[in-house]
Amino acid sequence: MLGKTNITTLSEGAIVTEIEDYRWIQLQSGIYSNFVKTIYQNGYLVAITMDGSIVYTTDGEVWNVLTLEYAECRLNDIEWDGRRFLLVGCYVKEDSNNETTGLIVATTDFEAMETITLPEYAYKEYYLISSKNGKYVLVAKYDSYLCVVTSSSMSDIIGHEQLYNYTASTPGVQDCVAVKNSSGILVYYRLFQPAKYSSPDISSHFIKRIIDEGIISLRDYSEDFKYNHSKVFTLFECKDILYFLGLLAKNNYSLNEVTNAGEIMVMNTGQNFMFKDGVYFNDCEVFINSHEMLVVKKGERIAEKTLNDLIEIEPELTMNCITKAFGQLFIFGNQGVILKSSVETNNENAIAVQTLSAKKALYDAKQYTDDRYAALEARIAALEG
């Protein structure tokens, strides 16, 4: 027997409470939005959605839902500053101009919500917020460019710095993704320059690091936009380490670690893992993409992993982020789906929701068949000889 791959298909808005015999048990949450970030702090496990909904629990079993009442609200990040949660994103201000404006909301218990407005600048959107050593750092959009905002109390601005050298002729920002750890922030953004005359559309990709000393450029890429219309970089954090996965050349993917010293270390090449997030659990590094999981156990190296090591969770389920809380793993995906790992938290294999993925099972079955066939041919040849 190659391994179990039985999976009960998840319905929309399902919360999976535990895994029994590799089958999902479902409950209805009533949320059908796509999760983008999650955090576990001060006894709260909280996840935010793209359209401004908040789902939280204090025990991993009973879930509460809160929807922010802002027009066309979008949430991008959540942070715990030691005394309150801070949520950032944007919404459409319902006035004569209907302009998008940045949103910052603070709460301690998700009952009372306080809106915070930073003075001086009218930011259009906040992509990330980080709190460290009594200082707040935000990645924001102001006018037509990205900037780094610093504040000492969330009621003032002590720094406003352009993330790149912006002029009137600078191409517009198409994407912005930012992640953080205890040592700094990693930001990816793409600038798009439309074609002029005989020139092709140009898409330039940038990865920068934000630390106490300022903004440091790590990687700059330019490419012919005609041949690649998609975003080619993903950023995520695992075990307080920042990673980025990028396409360096045609079909040449590279998974890179950014050290606290700012060095870029290539961890794996040639594998398009498409990771979205990661977490450290039971001495294992656990990475997820939209549909699969990769487990790197203690003593193993991610450089030795291939696409055949991915564990398929559910082809019809799209996963976005993963975290650990209450001694278990939680995966948050699209359409309100939340997966919760087995309660066997002392078992290092508890994180393997399937003993073998369908993809891995087929690969092993083919390898087994090929080996047996080769052995049979050798035996026939020996008998004939």
Side-chain angles (χ1 to χ4, degrees), residues 200-215:
D201 294 343
I202 298 297
S203 182
S204 299
H205 302 260
F206 304 87
I207 296 178
K208 297 191 176 181
R209 185 168 178 248
I210 303 169
I211 56 177
D212 291 339
E213 289 76 12
I215 302 171

Side-chain angles (χ1 to χ4, degrees), residues 169 193-201:
S169 60
Q193 177 69 62
K196 291 184 179 180
Y197 308 109
S198 60
S199 299
D201 294 343

Side-chain angles (χ1 to χ4, degrees), residues 104-121:
I104 305 175
V105 177
T107 183
T108 58
D109 56 7
F110 299 96
E111 297 291 336
M113 311 292 288
E114 175 192 1
T115 302
I116 298 175
T117 302
L118 291 175
E120 299 181 50
Y121 296 92

Side-chain angles (χ1 to χ4, degrees), residues 38-180:
T38 182
I39 190 173
Y40 177 55
Q41 287 287 352
N42 199 39
Y44 286 84
L45 173 58
V46 189
I48 59 175
T49 70
M50 189 177 294
D51 63 358
S53 293
I54 305 166
V55 175
Y56 64 96
T57 179
T58 56
D59 58 10
E61 298 292 339
V62 179
W63 297 83
N64 303 279
V65 178
L66 173 66
T67 301
L68 299 180
E69 300 298 327
Y70 296 92
E72 299 183 38
C73 179
R74 180 166 66 244
L75 292 176
N76 295 322
D77 196 19
I78 181 170
E79 175 76 328
W80 168 257
D81 70 356
R83 61 187 181 90
R84 59 184 175 175
F85 291 96
L86 296 164
L87 301 89
V88 299
C90 66
Y91 70 101
V92 173
K93 185 180 294 185
E94 295 180 310
D95 54 20
S96 57
N97 297 321
N98 287 330
E99 292 184 348
T100 300
T101 185
L103 174 66
I104 305 175
V105 177
T107 183
T108 58
D109 56 7
F110 299 96
E111 297 291 336
M113 311 292 288
E114 175 192 1
T115 302
I116 298 175
T117 302
L118 291 175
E120 299 181 50
Y121 296 92
Y123 296 105
K124 292 185 177 181
E125 185 169 5
Y126 298 104
Y127 296 98
L128 176 142
I129 180 170
S130 175
S131 170
K132 188 178 69 170
N133 300 328
K135 185 175 72 173
Y136 301 89
V137 179
L138 300 98
V139 177
K141 185 175 183 181
Y142 175 74
D143 196 11
S144 299
Y145 63 85
L146 297 174
C147 62
V148 178
V149 184
T150 53
S151 172
S152 61
S153 63
M154 292 304 293
S155 62
D156 63 350
I157 292 180
I158 58 176
H160 171 103
E161 184 178 0
Q162 294 182 10
L163 196 58
Y164 52 90
N165 217 2
Y166 175 79
T167 65
S169 60
T170 304
V173 174
Q174 296 293 307
D175 296 296
C176 178
V177 180
V179 294
K180 61 202 172 189

Side-chain angles (χ1 to χ4, degrees), residues 376-385:
L376 180 60
E377 283 190 323
R379 185 177 180 185
I380 293 173
L383 290 174
E384 290 177 344

